[in-house]
Amino acid sequence: MANRKKYLVLGFLAFLWPASGTQGEEKEEQTCRLLGKFDLNGYVDAKNHTLVIGGLFPIHSRTIPANESILEPVSAKCEGFNFRGFRWMKAMIHTIKEINERKDILPNTTLGYQIFDTCFTISKAMESALVFLTGQEENKPNIRNSTGAYLAGIVGSGGSSLSIAASRILGLYYLPQVGYFSTCSILSDKFQFPSYIRTIASDKFQSEAMVRLIQHFGWVWVGTIAADDDYGKYGVKAFKEQMESANLCIAFSETIPKVYSNEKMQKAVKAIRSSTARVIVLYASDIDLSPFVLEMVYHNITDRTWIASEAWITSALIAKPEYFPYFGGSIGFAIPRTDIPGLKEFLYDVHPSKDPNDVLTIEFWQTAFNCTWPNISVPYNVDHRVNMTGKEDRLYAMSDKFCTGEEKLEELKNTYLDVSQLRITNNVKQAVYAMAYALDQLSRCEEGQGPFMPENTCAYLPDFEPWQLMYYVKTLKFNTHDGKKIEIDQNGDVFGYYDILNWQLDDNGEIAFVKVGEYKFAPDKYELVFKKNSTIFWNTESSRLPHSVCTDVCPPGTRKGIRQGEPICCFDCIPCADGHVSERAGQRECDQCGEDYWSNEQKSMCVLKEVEFLAYDEALGFTLVILSIFGALVILAVMIVYVIYRQTPLVNANDRELSFLIQVSLIITVLSSMLFIGKPYNWSCMARQVTLALGFSLCLSSTLGKTISLFFAYRISISKTRFISMRPIFRKIIVLISILVEIGICIAYLILQPPRVYKNMESQNIKIILECNEGSIEFLCSMFGIDAFLALLCFLTTFVARQLPDNYYEGKCITFGMLVLFIVWISFVPAYLSTKGKFKVAVEIFAILASSYGLLGCIFAPKCFIILLRPKRNTDETVGGRVPAVDRSIQLTSASVSSELNNTTVSTVLDE
């Protein structure tokens, strides 16, 4: 599967690669260029046509696995000719020719076409969509594709996964895309797929129809099998939701792989064989279903009733007489059939001799008649699939018999020429007509009465914007050739009805699709109707209506899903949802646990939820406490050193009192982290942030007093004029004002919107996280905003004065301290937002301790090193940076200026 995803990416994305412009005097514009070309097959008729309609059809059923030894991106080739997809493609061409011959639709406009084979793979659908938009050789969308004609829209892609992939690209440019075979309910989401509509009903309606069918026959125990793609997954998802709302039970739910996997296939087979469910819903396309059908035959699994989705109920690929013992009696929903005049004759009008370059027609002819067309190297039966033994088959079968060209199509019996079940084929016709009617309405717009602003303007053929055509497509209403009304709703879906078909054998031993009823769905009406006197064939030993029962009593921890009023009581043991329990065996409903309780792992009893907070006795909390106490002791030791050596020049330099204030504030910030540990209370919630904010405010305002001194010292050193410096008292005033402002904000915070203890039950269902609700985010931001502002001022002033020739580099030390502070708290924000529970608190504590340790190390570690280990450098001459009087105005240092300013009464310095 990993390889498959890798080659899907290589298949269509690696073709586009940025080619950087060269660096020179003129910078070239960067563009994208193709590293390779897409290997696409199809049909084109765009010459002498006003507009082109694109088409995407699964003419092949799969791609050949890529050669892993080739590292370059290579567009995959296709295999497995699909007669059904070939007929759909021919139906589009027939419809376009029919529209061009009509005079009531687009009378002065002719439509061309450009059709690509998607090979029923996402990679090819993406390649085709890119070619439609870019013309393959171009590096930006031009909505004119490689034919040169204007591209009006796309019909396709012939499968839900393919349509989803293509629509994600086409929707970017609002290019209309009309689906004919994609029923996945997610395509109704106009936010994801704004330009997608379809002429086939959404799986939402089919899922409702299936549940109503199950209810009608009294089945309550049903299994599901889905293809491993968007169609299968979303289809079963919608079906399960409908089953749950109807109080019905799902016995098992398995997927069948898109790429054959023996392990996954055997898992699905085992689920079917071991389950007591005898009714199974099968959501898959006929192509994906083929290996699964072979597994059912191989393991001889019978006595099952299959509920079929519209994708395979009428497929000749599955409806073969040899499969009837295993899939006979299947009942499911099909698109209404109809007859298309002239299509049969058009389908017969195909021959390889008409165009020797038409490789698809040649491959069709070779595959249909089991012969080789002369002088052509087109294989007709190439198969790289993995068989049931797990080995890969690689068959390049070329028949020894050459085609003569005289072969008779009338003698063939294949899906291509079978016009008795024109269902999806009719949807193709309606999709083309939807595009044509929308273009016709656009062309009939009268100036001044148009739908577009300003001034009610119109769009004109052939040059219009895709979104302008999309306006008409979204509001489309028209009647089909057989009198049915097509109306597109706001989600791009249509209403109508399904035929309910039952597989039966006719007199010739062939499988007949017998209509036994209808399911009608409209905006205000949903109705399941069975035909009177209709006979349904059931593939059971008794040929009677099958029933699914489950006899095991549901153990504690599960609930019994019972459908009341049915003749057979079937129940499924559905595990109780998280937070719900069933204490007794066989309980019908699960009981919800109380607010402070949660279910145990077995869902058999309610237990008290675990209360989580960062506790002192756990390893993380204990470690943080140790770090906090250790930090406080280190700061206290620094303070003692400063007290002992308070008369030394280095301690006196640049305001000794501010140094002591910084040390006190660091003790406060380090110890404040302990308020974050332990069970939170209202008082601790109020104290923690306030204490932290005040501690940092005292630290940073004191540091600001120092940095301003350094700033003035730097200005003195470079100025040649009189400069008035700052008195020591002014530094204390800065500290006082900063603290008073911070205290005022904190008091308002605690009075108006104080933090409170909060039980957080949303983050984790099984735990109650005790945390502090910080109250007002505005106040909190204001408190720490003051600190951030002070830190920024400290950084700016010291950064300016960093070149001051200070012997002990106090300016540089403070600069590095501020940088550490910024780095810690900038890193803290994303880490804090991405964590939950007690780890969120731990992140905040780490940030507090890291910033405190950083400031301590950057500001005081160098001075303590000199004081304790290099006392000879702690002298007036060294600290003061004594120089001759002639050079003093130039070589003043931060320490000398601070010492002199502290000892002078007149704080002026005169330059020479």
Side-chain angles (χ1 to χ4, degrees):
M1 192 65 183
N3 286 336
R4 179 172 178 268
K5 292 181 178 178
K6 177 180 70 176
Y7 287 109
L8 279 177
V9 174
L10 289 177
F12 57 88
L13 291 182
F15 279 93
L16 302 177
W17 193 264
S20 302
T22 59
Q23 299 294 330
E25 294 182 0
E26 295 183 1
K27 186 177 181 181
E28 297 180 2
E29 181 183 359
Q30 293 186 355
T31 61
C32 292
R33 60 182 177 86
L34 291 172
L35 291 182
K37 290 187 177 182
F38 298 140
D39 187 1
L40 297 174
N41 289 317
Y43 292 89
V44 60
D45 180 16
K47 292 183 179 180
N48 302 320
H49 293 295
T50 312
L51 298 169
V52 166
I53 296 178
L56 298 174
F57 294 92
I59 302 174
H60 288 85
S61 59
R62 57 194 171 272
T63 56
I64 300 175
N67 187 349
E68 297 185 5
S69 63
I70 300 177
L71 300 180
E72 293 81 6
V74 178
S75 182
K77 294 185 179 296
C78 302
E79 64 178 4
F81 195 84
N82 182 12
F83 290 107
R84 196 182 186 197
F86 194 60
R87 185 184 67 209
W88 295 344
M89 181 271 300
K90 287 289 186 179
M92 176 178 174
I93 297 175
H94 174 263
T95 305
I96 289 178
K97 291 184 176 181
E98 178 182 296
I99 293 170
N100 287 337
E101 294 172 358
R102 294 179 61 168
K103 301 301 181 183
D104 57 331
I105 303 178
L106 299 171
N108 300 318
T109 304
T110 60
L111 299 177
Y113 56 83
Q114 186 177 27
I115 299 172
F116 289 118
D117 176 15
T118 64
C119 304
F120 204 67
T121 57
I122 293 176
S123 61
K124 286 295 179 183
M126 295 288 282
E127 290 178 10
S128 302
L130 290 171
V131 172
F132 277 132
L133 291 174
T134 66
Q136 186 171 354
E137 299 296 341
E138 302 181 22
N139 54 50
K140 58 184 178 180
N142 56 21
I143 318 300
R144 288 190 181 275
N145 64 74
S146 57
T147 66
Y150 195 88
L151 180 66
I154 308 295
V155 172
S157 300
S160 293
S161 295
L162 278 61
S163 291
I164 289 172
S167 186
R168 292 197 185 277
I169 295 180
L170 300 175
L172 295 175
Y173 305 98
Y174 222 56
L175 188 67
Q177 181 184 0
V178 185
Y180 56 86
F181 192 44
S182 303
T183 60
C184 186
S185 57
I186 195 176
L187 286 166
S188 300
D189 184 355
K190 296 301 104 179
F191 180 78
Q192 296 190 58
F193 309 99
S195 64
Y196 185 86
I197 70 165
R198 49 188 162 191
T199 57
I200 188 172
S202 167
D203 278 337
K204 171 188 175 184
F205 305 118
Q206 185 171 205
S207 299
E208 294 173 354
M210 286 180 173
V211 172
R212 287 177 180 263
L213 181 72
I214 290 170
Q215 289 177 314
H216 175 81
F217 291 114
W219 299 323
V220 294
W221 183 242
V222 180
T224 65
I225 298 290
D228 190 14
D229 58 11
D230 293 317
Y231 172 73
K233 291 178 180 178
Y234 281 102
V236 166
K237 178 177 179 291
F239 173 74
K240 288 181 178 179
E241 292 172 353
Q242 294 293 331
M243 288 283 286
E244 184 178 352
S245 63
N247 293 323
L248 302 177
C249 303
I250 299 293
F252 60 87
S253 182
E254 297 292 340
T255 59
I256 52 179
K258 297 281 288 184
V259 178
Y260 189 89
S261 168
N262 189 59
E263 179 182 356
K264 293 181 180 179
M265 194 68 78
Q266 297 311 315
K267 183 180 179 183
V269 171
K270 181 180 179 181
I272 295 171
R273 299 187 68 172
S274 61
S275 175
T276 57
R278 290 296 179 265
V279 178
I280 304 171
V281 172
L282 225 172
Y283 251 109
S285 66
D286 55 348
I287 295 175
D288 293 332
L289 198 56
S290 297
F292 176 77
V293 172
L294 295 176
E295 290 286 350
M296 295 295 103
V297 175
Y298 179 78
H299 292 279
N300 193 29
I301 297 178
T302 58
D303 195 27
R304 301 296 191 279
T305 296
W306 303 91
I307 300 179
S309 65
E310 94 296 335
W312 68 274
I313 185 64
T314 59
S315 172
L317 188 64
I318 308 299
K320 298 179 180 180
E322 56 266 32
Y323 299 153
F324 190 80
Y326 312 95
F327 286 86
S330 295
I331 189 168
F333 300 89
I335 307 304
R337 69 166 300 279
T338 189
D339 294 319
I340 301 178
L343 179 62
K344 183 176 182 179
E345 293 75 14
F346 184 79
L347 294 177
Y348 275 89
D349 185 22
V350 59
H351 200 279
S353 61
K354 291 186 176 183
D355 184 0
N357 296 321
D358 186 356
V359 295
L360 293 179
T361 299
I362 294 173
E363 187 176 358
F364 159 75
W365 199 270
Q366 292 183 152
T367 307
F369 293 106
N370 192 22
C371 61
T372 301
W373 194 259
N375 302 321
I376 295 295
S377 61
V378 178
Y380 73 96
N381 185 22
V382 182
D383 193 346
H384 291 72
R385 289 177 298 176
V386 179
N387 59 28
M388 286 183 291
T389 64
K391 297 180 180 180
E392 187 178 7
D393 290 330
R394 295 180 181 268
L395 304 177
Y396 297 83
M398 296 293 293
S399 175
D400 294 333
K401 181 181 70 174
F402 283 98
C403 302
T404 64
E406 301 297 329
E407 292 83 5
K408 301 295 183 182
L409 290 173
E410 293 79 2
E411 298 175 357
L412 288 177
K413 289 185 179 180
N414 62 25
T415 311
Y416 172 70
L417 298 173
D418 183 8
V419 294
S420 63
Q421 297 291 330
L422 296 181
R423 300 176 187 274
I424 305 301
T425 307
N426 186 47
N427 282 350
V428 174
K429 182 181 181 72
Q430 293 175 4
V432 177
Y433 263 101
M435 194 73 68
Y437 276 115
L439 289 168
D440 184 63
Q441 292 181 19
L442 183 147
S443 67
R444 297 178 188 275
C445 177
E446 296 181 6
E447 190 60 39
Q449 299 180 10
F452 308 116
M453 300 301 290
E455 299 179 358
N456 299 106
T457 57
C458 294
Y460 300 98
L461 297 179
D463 193 9
F464 56 86
E465 295 295 330
W467 62 268
Q468 293 174 321
L469 178 60
M470 197 63 208
Y471 168 82
Y472 295 97
V473 173
K474 289 192 300 184
T475 58
L476 199 58
K477 296 179 183 179
F478 65 94
N479 293 323
T480 64
H481 69 282
D482 53 356
K484 295 185 176 67
K485 184 177 181 181
I486 299 294
E487 182 175 349
I488 309 296
D489 69 3
Q490 61 181 359
N491 295 322
D493 293 325
V494 294
F495 292 93
Y497 67 93
Y498 289 112
D499 286 341
I500 303 176
L501 303 183
N502 177 234
W503 281 17
Q504 302 181 18
L505 279 181
D506 60 14
D507 297 335
N508 298 322
E510 299 291 334
I511 293 180
F513 308 124
V514 179
K515 182 178 178 179
V516 296
E518 291 181 350
Y519 178 74
K520 301 177 182 179
F521 51 95
D524 56 349
K525 182 180 181 181
Y526 298 87
E527 185 179 9
L528 184 71
V529 179
F530 282 89
K531 296 172 64 176
K532 293 182 179 179
N533 302 322
S534 62
T535 302
I536 300 176
F537 173 76
W538 301 112
N539 191 23
T540 58
E541 294 180 359
S542 61
S543 298
R544 294 182 180 179
L545 177 71
H547 61 276
S548 296
V549 294
C550 181
T551 56
D552 295 330
V553 177
C554 294
T558 62
R559 64 179 176 86
K560 182 170 66 174
I562 303 173
R563 189 173 186 279
Q564 296 284 0
E566 295 296 331
I568 301 175
C569 180
C570 295
F571 53 87
D572 184 21
C573 297
I574 305 173
C576 292
D578 291 338
H580 296 73
V581 298
S582 62
E583 298 179 350
R584 303 180 306 277
Q587 270 191 236
R588 181 176 176 180
E589 297 293 341
C590 296
D591 303 319
Q592 186 174 2
C593 295
E595 185 180 33
D596 293 337
Y597 291 84
W598 195 251
S599 55
N600 62 356
E601 186 177 355
Q602 294 76 26
K603 305 293 192 303
S604 59
M605 62 181 297
C606 292
V607 294
L608 278 171
K609 288 183 178 180
E610 178 184 350
V611 179
E612 181 181 272
F613 55 87
L614 187 59
Y616 288 101
D617 55 356
E618 61 179 298
L620 181 60
F622 182 75
T623 302
L624 294 174
V625 170
I626 294 299
L627 290 175
S628 300
I629 296 175
F630 176 75
L633 292 176
V634 171
I635 299 169
L636 188 60
V638 171
M639 187 180 293
I640 293 174
V641 170
Y642 263 60
V643 170
I644 295 174
Y645 295 95
R646 62 185 179 276
Q647 300 301 331
T648 62
L650 189 59
V651 174
N652 282 325
N654 204 7
D655 206 320
R656 178 179 59 194
E657 290 78 8
L658 291 182
S659 297
F660 283 117
L661 285 177
I662 294 174
Q663 293 162 7
V664 171
S665 64
L666 288 177
I667 292 177
I668 294 173
T669 56
V670 168
L671 293 180
S672 68
S673 64
M674 298 181 64
L675 295 172
F676 291 81
I677 307 174
K679 184 177 181 180
Y681 297 95
N682 287 336
W683 68 266
S684 63
C685 288
M686 290 187 288
R688 58 170 63 171
Q689 299 292 2
V690 171
T691 305
L692 180 63
L694 290 174
F696 273 117
S697 180
L698 178 60
C699 176
L700 294 170
S701 60
S702 301
T703 306
L704 180 61
K706 281 177 166 287
T707 60
I708 290 178
S709 297
L710 298 177
F711 177 78
F712 281 123
Y714 178 73
R715 293 300 302 268
I716 291 170
S717 68
I718 65 174
S719 176
K720 298 298 182 180
T721 60
R722 181 183 301 274
F723 189 89
I724 299 177
S725 64
M726 177 181 286
R727 293 177 180 273
I729 189 63
F730 291 160
R731 307 171 198 165
K732 279 71 174 179
I733 293 175
I734 291 174
V735 175
L736 181 61
I737 292 175
S738 301
I739 292 297
L740 290 177
V741 171
E742 191 71 74
I743 290 174
I745 296 175
C746 292
I747 292 174
Y749 175 44
L750 296 178
I751 293 176
L752 298 178
Q753 288 183 305
R756 291 286 185 267
V757 176
Y758 168 64
K759 289 184 177 181
N760 186 350
M761 300 182 183
E762 289 78 20
S763 298
Q764 298 186 43
N765 291 327
I766 61 175
K767 294 180 180 179
I768 298 176
I769 300 175
L770 280 182
E771 57 186 29
C772 291
N773 183 346
E774 303 300 349
S776 172
I777 299 299
E778 292 78 8
F779 273 118
L780 200 63
C781 292
S782 299
M783 288 165 49
F784 289 100
I786 296 294
D787 295 338
F789 178 70
L790 292 173
L792 183 62
L793 288 179
C794 291
F795 176 76
L796 292 177
T797 53
T798 55
F799 183 80
V800 171
R802 71 188 185 284
Q803 299 299 329
L804 187 67
D806 190 342
N807 289 342
Y808 300 110
Y809 308 102
E810 185 172 29
K812 293 181 180 179
C813 291
I814 295 177
T815 302
F816 282 118
M818 293 301 107
L819 284 175
V820 170
L821 188 72
F822 289 147
I823 292 171
V824 169
W825 287 100
I826 290 173
S827 304
F828 158 76
V829 173
Y832 183 78
L833 295 177
S834 61
T835 53
K836 296 180 179 180
K838 62 183 179 182
F839 298 104
K840 201 169 188 177
V841 178
V843 168
E844 189 169 2
I845 296 174
F846 274 121
I848 295 170
L849 295 177
S851 55
S852 300
Y853 275 108
L855 290 174
L856 176 66
C858 290
I859 297 176
F860 294 105
K863 291 191 175 183
C864 288
F865 176 80
I866 298 298
I867 294 171
L868 298 176
L869 301 180
R870 297 291 187 271
K872 292 182 179 180
R873 296 173 60 183
N874 192 3
T875 63
D876 289 334
E877 289 76 10
T878 304
V879 174
R882 300 301 181 185
V883 294
V886 176
D887 298 328
R888 181 161 302 182
S889 63
I890 298 175
Q891 299 187 27
L892 287 172
T893 67
S894 62
S896 62
V897 170
S898 300
S899 298
E900 293 179 11
L901 291 179
N902 288 337
N903 297 324
T904 57
T905 57
V906 180
S907 184
T908 61
V909 179
L910 298 178
D911 228 341
E912 287 186 345

